[in-house]
Each structure stands twice: as C-alpha cells, then as structure tokens.
Amino acid sequence: MPATRSATRAVSSAIAQSPGSLKRKASPSPVPSPKKTRTKAAPKDEAPSAPQVTGPLERGKEPVLLPASLNFSFEDARSHLSSVDARFSDLFDRLKCKPFQLLEPVDPFKTLVTSILGQQISWLAARSITHRFVRLYDPSLPEKVADMPASKETLFPTPYQVSNTDIATLRSAGLSGRKAEYVKDIAARFADGRLSTEKLSTVSDEDLYELLIDVRGVGPVLHMFSIFTLRRPNILPVGDLGVQRGVLRWFYYWHNPSTTSSPVKIHPEKLPKSLTPGGDVEETAAQPGADEVDIPKEEEPSPAAGASALLPAPPVTPKKGGAAHDTNCDFPEAFTPSIKRTLASQELNRVTPPPPLPKGLSVSELKSRLDGKKKQKGAFLTPAEMEELTECWKPYRSLGVYYMWALSEEKE
C-alpha cells in the first residue's frame, strides 16, 4: 500500500537524521533482551528485605513539628476567663494549664498514629504494640519495651515508610486489621500532602473537621487531638461525659454557692488517662515482667469506631477498666486541698455573678442531674446546654474544658 510505505520511509528518514541514530544503528538488537533486565532473585534462605517494611523511600522526609508556641496569648485567655468567672483565677494559681503552658514541639502524624494504636486496649498493651510498631522500622531496638535503655533514642517512622508497609507486616506488630488500615490511611494522607502539619495548624476549627472527617479512625480522638496536640483555644467536646460532669458541677456551685452538699475534689482516679475511649487504668505500680507477657490477639473494633458519624458526637471520658495510656494527653494532677472553697466561694461569686441559666435548667435541675436522676438520654447536659452554659468562655473554651476534666465528686 503506497501510503503505508511513504509513512514508513518518512519515519525512517527522521530516525536516520536524529543525533542518536548512530548508536541505534550500531546496536545489533534495538529491543533489550529480557534476560538483561531480569532482576537477580534473592536466595531462598534470606530474610525479607527491608524495603518490604520501609518502602522505596526508606528515610522519607524529616517530620515537620508544630513549634512550641501558641497562636493566641495565654495571658489574654487567662484574663478573659478570670474576668467572666473569678473562680478561674484561683484555678490558674493552683494548677498550670499544661497543654497551653508547658509547650514543646510535637509531631501531629506521630500523635494521630499512636492514638489509633492505643484505642480500646490497656495502656500496657498499647505501649507494647507501639514499641513493636516502631521496631518494624528500627530492628536495632530491643525486642521487648521493658529492655529499652533510658538513653536509647528512637525515631518514629515517617508517613512514607508507613504508607509503603503492607497490612500483613503491620499486623505482625499486634495491630488489628482495621487499625492497620487506619494507620496506612493516615500515613498515605500525610505522604501525598492531603494532610500536613501546616494545614492542620493553620485552618479554622470548622475547616479542620472537614479536613479530618474522612480520615478513618480519627473520630474518637478528634477533640483531644485539637486541644492537646494542635492547642486550639476554643474546642468544646459537647459529647464528652467527663466534660459534661465537670461543667454541670462548675455551674451548679456558681448558681448555688451556699450549698453544703458533698465536697468536690480533684480526684486522680477519675481523671482520663488517654486520648481514646475505653476506661481509666488504676494507677498501680507495674509488676516485674508485665511487659514480657504475650499480647493477646487484638479484637477488631466495631465498624462504627472509625466512621465519620462519630465526629458530631465526641468521645466520652474514659471510665475505669483498661484504657490505653497515652502521654500525648497531659491531664490535670490532683488539687490539694479540696477546691470546694473555690467552687462555692460567695466572695468570688460576688465579684463575677453568674449569668442566667439556659431555659429549662434550674439549680434543682442541675442538682438532680448531678445525682444521676434526670440525665438526658444518658448525658448530664445536652449539646445545646453545653454551648449556652460555656458561651461566656469563648473564645477560650479549651482552657476551661481542661479544668472541667479534673472535677469529680467524692461521696462521703
């Protein structure tokens, strides 16, 4: 066919005039032999190579840390809260607001991953699994976390390393299949730029939720992450039972300062020990060899645990019975002595009289709910009531929330 031959001659002429044509002509075979491109197979007795764990980017990028600073004035926040409720000034004098006063650089990726690893398991199991997870990327670490030297420096894996780790390898560190998927999803988002330290630290609170709403497994820790890692000043976890209970007591005493009801103390055993729901842990000394026992196979969390539907309903404060201990949350220590004098101080109440209670609430209603007699579908306060009661704390509700976690009732 003339047209085909003409086209062939034109292409051949163009190739002959190209600078690389001599090399191509000198080659006896323009197509490389398959044998020349075949990768030499590893010996059968060799252990799996490192790239199976770390991926093609073994080092990846250095983590981008949130600086040890705030995007607001702590003194302004303290002054504002003390001006609307003089009792806050006494709390600030008694106890540091650690998330916003004791600052240090923090890696958001590490915080999110370790929070996912610690969900729904005891803090001992969480610590061991986290150690085994990190050891996948640094085999020089001792096999057992109990054998870790105090001076041993550990590097948390990068998003690139984790995103290139297969599910089976992650599960070998003790993760459930679902948690392995959550961790890979988070790592992939940091690796490809959908999530970054810069984005998380600069977007508005509303945009932050939109940014994280599709991230699997983050729902239960979103508000804790916003307060303790991102240091957002105006977060109100309306669904957290511990915060509800603290707010209820705080406002009950504000509106009824002459009460002589049971004393309220900062009770260490009632403080949350984790970013995640599941229950507090008794503060008992670890037994020798406690970290050396085999970790039982982790049960799969329910599908709802990572669903975006959890975002509108933040996590409840953990109860006694085995929550993961996570150092990313530095909760309040015990107040000594009892702070009843602060809560029920008529002198401080005269300095800053309380605003009217929301419609439907009265002092007697607050007391009934505090006693557990009139809970609203299992909650001490509804989201609308929480919003209205703490309206005067804006735009620094996170600082008030920090102290609310510490309020617990000690019955005589």
Side-chain angles (χ1 to χ4, degrees):
M1 292 180 288
T4 304
R5 293 194 189 98
S6 176
T8 304
R9 283 196 297 271
V11 172
S12 300
S13 175
I15 293 176
Q17 295 174 12
S18 65
S21 61
L22 292 178
K23 291 184 180 180
R24 279 190 284 274
K25 288 180 180 179
S27 174
S29 176
V31 180
S33 171
K35 292 182 179 180
K36 294 181 180 180
T37 58
R38 185 176 298 162
T39 304
K40 185 178 179 181
K44 291 184 179 180
D45 57 347
E46 276 190 51
S49 58
Q52 278 192 298
V53 174
T54 60
L57 296 174
E58 185 170 346
R59 286 291 178 182
K61 295 182 179 179
E62 292 297 319
V64 179
L65 305 181
L66 284 172
S69 60
L70 301 175
N71 62 0
F72 66 96
S73 167
F74 176 78
E75 288 305 318
D76 286 351
R78 175 174 175 157
S79 296
H80 171 75
L81 290 174
S82 299
S83 68
V84 298
D85 189 338
R87 296 176 300 166
F88 272 118
S89 62
D90 193 55
L91 292 191
F92 282 113
D93 289 341
R94 289 170 179 263
L95 185 67
K96 288 186 179 297
C97 195
K98 290 183 179 180
F100 304 99
Q101 284 187 277
L102 305 182
L103 305 177
E104 60 182 15
V106 62
D107 178 5
F109 170 69
K110 177 181 178 180
T111 302
L112 282 174
V113 170
T114 53
S115 300
I116 297 297
L117 296 180
Q119 284 183 21
Q120 300 182 331
I121 57 177
S122 72
W123 73 269
L124 278 176
R127 184 172 68 164
S128 295
I129 288 176
T130 301
H131 175 76
R132 289 162 61 178
F133 170 77
V134 174
R135 191 173 179 271
L136 289 175
Y137 307 90
D138 185 1
S140 67
L141 298 178
E143 185 176 349
K144 297 173 182 176
V145 66
D147 297 332
M148 276 287 292
S151 59
K152 177 70 175 179
E153 182 180 359
T154 61
L155 295 177
F156 200 79
T158 67
Y160 298 89
Q161 291 174 311
V162 178
S163 64
N164 284 287
T165 306
D166 57 62
I167 295 293
T169 302
L170 291 174
R171 295 203 65 175
S172 70
L175 283 71
S176 67
R178 187 165 285 112
K179 281 189 182 178
E181 293 172 0
Y182 293 167
V183 167
K184 276 183 66 71
D185 182 43
I186 292 172
R189 291 170 186 269
F190 273 90
D192 63 23
R194 284 176 290 169
L195 289 179
S196 67
T197 298
E198 182 180 14
K199 286 181 180 179
L200 292 172
S201 62
T202 56
V203 298
S204 66
D205 292 342
E206 293 76 14
D207 289 341
L208 176 66
Y209 295 136
E210 290 297 321
L211 192 63
L212 295 176
I213 196 168
D214 291 327
V215 183
R216 302 175 67 189
V218 171
V221 301
L222 179 55
H223 289 83
M224 300 287 195
F225 177 71
S226 299
I227 293 174
F228 287 89
T229 299
L230 302 181
R231 308 178 189 115
R232 294 296 178 104
N234 196 38
I235 303 298
L236 178 65
V238 294
D240 189 304
L241 291 180
V243 177
Q244 292 176 12
R245 194 164 45 228
V247 169
L248 186 57
R249 291 198 178 96
W250 184 259
F251 282 88
Y252 169 64
Y253 277 90
W254 200 8
H255 285 267
N256 192 29
S258 61
T259 182
T260 56
S261 61
S262 58
V264 174
K265 295 184 179 180
I266 298 300
H267 199 302
E269 291 184 359
K270 297 288 184 69
L271 300 182
K273 303 294 193 299
S274 168
L275 277 173
T276 60
D280 277 351
V281 179
E282 291 280 4
E283 289 294 308
T284 55
Q287 298 298 318
D291 293 316
E292 299 178 12
V293 298
D294 291 333
I295 300 175
K297 182 179 180 181
E298 185 184 348
E299 294 183 1
E300 295 281 353
S302 63
S308 60
L310 281 174
L311 293 179
V316 297
T317 299
K319 300 177 182 178
K320 271 188 176 181
H325 178 78
D326 194 303
T327 55
N328 294 313
C329 274
D330 202 352
F331 284 95
E333 297 175 358
F335 270 119
T336 304
S338 167
I339 62 166
K340 181 183 176 183
R341 288 190 299 273
T342 299
L343 292 176
S345 171
Q346 297 188 46
E347 179 181 353
L348 293 176
N349 280 325
R350 282 194 292 269
V351 175
T352 51
L357 287 169
K359 184 178 180 180
L361 286 181
S362 62
V363 172
S364 60
E365 176 71 13
L366 293 176
K367 177 60 173 154
S368 295
R369 294 196 193 179
L370 198 54
D371 293 338
K373 297 175 181 178
K374 290 188 178 181
K375 285 187 177 181
Q376 304 295 303
K377 296 182 180 180
F380 292 97
L381 293 166
T382 67
E385 290 167 346
M386 289 279 286
E387 290 280 355
E388 189 170 349
L389 284 170
T390 62
E391 178 70 23
C392 59
W393 295 359
K394 288 183 177 181
Y396 304 111
R397 292 184 297 187
S398 296
L399 285 75
V401 164
Y402 177 76
Y403 291 113
M404 296 305 104
W405 267 309
L407 292 178
S408 64
E409 184 177 3
E410 184 178 73
K411 295 183 179 180
E412 296 178 320

